[in-house]
């Protein structure tokens, strides 16, 4: 008689991975707030464009990490069935917790896209600067 070990479903594996990733959401959001504050301080001080670009990219990375964690929390809030079932995902979005996390993900996504469009300082390429000289 063979003894078989019960395998964990693919959805359960993804669910547990999302739980681990989503557990850091608070710390990642705080890091994004600190990066935003650093960017605003540098803008107020009038630092060079290269430093503004570096601060802007750091803020973008922090926002992206916070967004990934928020998406993971959103998926865990929806539950294991929602990973592969479109209807279960839609029903989970209608719950108060599901709506809260959907709004948070949308807010972070909008903030990141707005920052990518207007917040990262552009630095001229070295070849363009050389041609003007």
């Amino acid at each position: 008689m063979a003894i078989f070990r019960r395998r964990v479903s693919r959805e359960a594996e993804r669910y547990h991975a999302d739980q681990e990733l989503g557990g850091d959401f608070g710390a990642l959001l705080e890091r994004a707030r600190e990066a935003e504050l650093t960017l605003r301080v540098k803008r107020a001080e009038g630092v060079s464009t290269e430093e503004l670009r570096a601060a802007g990219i750091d803020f973008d990375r922090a926002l992206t990490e916070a967004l990934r964690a928020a998406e993971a929390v959103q998926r865990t809030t929806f539950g294991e069935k929602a990973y592969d079932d479109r209807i279960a995902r839609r029903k989970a979005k209608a719950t108060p917790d599901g709506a809260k996390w959907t709004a948070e993900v949308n807010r972070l996504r909008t903030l990141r896209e707005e920052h990518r469009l207007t917040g990262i300082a552009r630095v001229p390429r070295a070849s363009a600067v050389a041609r003007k000289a």
Side-chain angles (χ1 to χ4, degrees):
M1 173 188 241
I3 299 176
F4 294 100
R5 296 178 85 187
R6 185 174 176 174
R7 287 196 38 108
V8 176
S9 71
R10 187 172 46 117
E11 292 84 12
E13 289 174 358
R14 290 171 30 193
Y15 179 79
H16 293 300
D18 280 343
Q19 280 183 324
E20 289 178 21
L21 179 62
D24 297 335
F25 175 70
L28 293 172
L29 188 61
E30 186 59 35
R31 184 181 174 284
R33 286 183 179 138
E34 291 170 3
E36 181 183 21
L37 182 63
T38 302
L39 177 63
R40 288 178 185 244
V41 167
K42 288 188 181 212
R43 278 188 187 147
E45 291 174 352
V47 298
S48 69
T49 308
E50 290 83 12
E51 290 181 42
L52 275 179
R53 180 169 175 79
I57 290 173
D58 184 46
F59 179 46
D60 181 61
R61 286 187 184 131
L63 268 177
T64 301
E65 291 172 5
L67 176 61
R68 286 185 182 141
E71 288 170 341
V73 173
Q74 180 189 34
R75 287 189 298 268
T76 58
T77 301
F78 291 171
E80 287 181 37
K81 286 177 84 177
Y83 280 93
D84 288 332
D85 188 3
R86 177 180 58 87
I87 295 172
R89 191 168 38 250
R90 188 170 174 186
K91 283 182 178 182
K93 279 185 181 181
T95 64
D97 283 340
K100 178 182 98 174
W101 282 105
T102 300
E104 181 68 15
V105 166
N106 289 337
R107 183 185 72 82
L108 287 173
R109 195 173 285 142
T110 303
L111 182 62
R112 185 185 70 170
E113 292 304 316
E114 179 186 344
H115 174 68
R116 284 184 174 177
L117 290 172
T118 61
I120 299 176
R122 298 187 186 271
V123 179
R125 294 184 201 162
S127 62
V129 173
R131 274 188 261 146
K132 288 183 179 179

